[in-house]
Amino acid sequence: MTEIRRIEVLRFLERVQERDLARTRRWIADEERREAERARGERARPPAPDWLLEQGLDGRSPPVYVHAGSCHMAGKRCRGVSREQARQALYEQVEACPHCRPGAGLGVLE
């Protein structure tokens, strides 16, 4: 049997480390692409509405609450509306959310 020379072992180690480095660089590039995608998505996201109208349970029934856009009680049945639409809903006797009290921000006395 021939004896393995030190230089051969070092060359083998070099190849292994180059392969590991290439893999690590691919991981870095993949992560940079994911971060860029996330940032593009955040920039493209429309702004949150200032006012929300909460629909009834079946979606066809009249609205049940007017919410401020940041209300923690606003549920999945809400849709964004303009300031004027929110004011009009309050004038039409849609209840103001008792948690966020949007009437004050809309200039409507409750």
Side-chain angles (χ1 to χ4, degrees):
M1 271 206 184
T2 63
E3 186 176 310
I4 299 177
R5 297 181 337 181
R6 182 171 170 77
I7 191 71
E8 292 170 353
V9 171
L10 291 173
R11 292 287 183 209
F12 171 76
L13 178 60
E14 180 182 40
R15 287 191 307 274
V16 169
Q17 289 176 336
E18 285 173 346
R19 190 178 61 232
D20 288 347
L21 180 59
R23 182 182 58 216
T24 301
R25 287 182 174 154
R26 281 193 310 273
W27 289 346
I28 290 170
D30 291 344
E31 187 60 28
E32 287 172 342
R33 274 193 297 278
R34 280 190 291 272
E35 284 180 9
E37 261 181 45
R38 263 191 301 275
R40 267 193 312 276
E42 288 174 15
R43 285 191 306 272
R45 181 178 297 142
D50 291 330
W51 309 104
L52 299 168
L53 203 55
E54 184 175 341
Q55 294 301 126
L57 289 176
D58 65 2
R60 292 184 306 271
S61 58
V64 291
Y65 284 117
V66 175
H67 295 276
S70 60
C71 181
H72 67 279
M73 293 300 290
K76 293 181 180 180
R77 298 185 321 260
C78 289
R79 65 178 172 87
V81 294
S82 69
R83 178 182 182 83
E84 287 309 310
Q85 290 171 315
R87 288 174 54 100
Q88 185 63 36
L90 290 175
Y91 288 133
E92 292 173 358
Q93 305 303 310
V94 175
E95 288 188 49
C97 171
H99 297 275
C100 63
R101 304 184 57 86
L106 291 166
V108 176
L109 294 176
E110 297 179 38

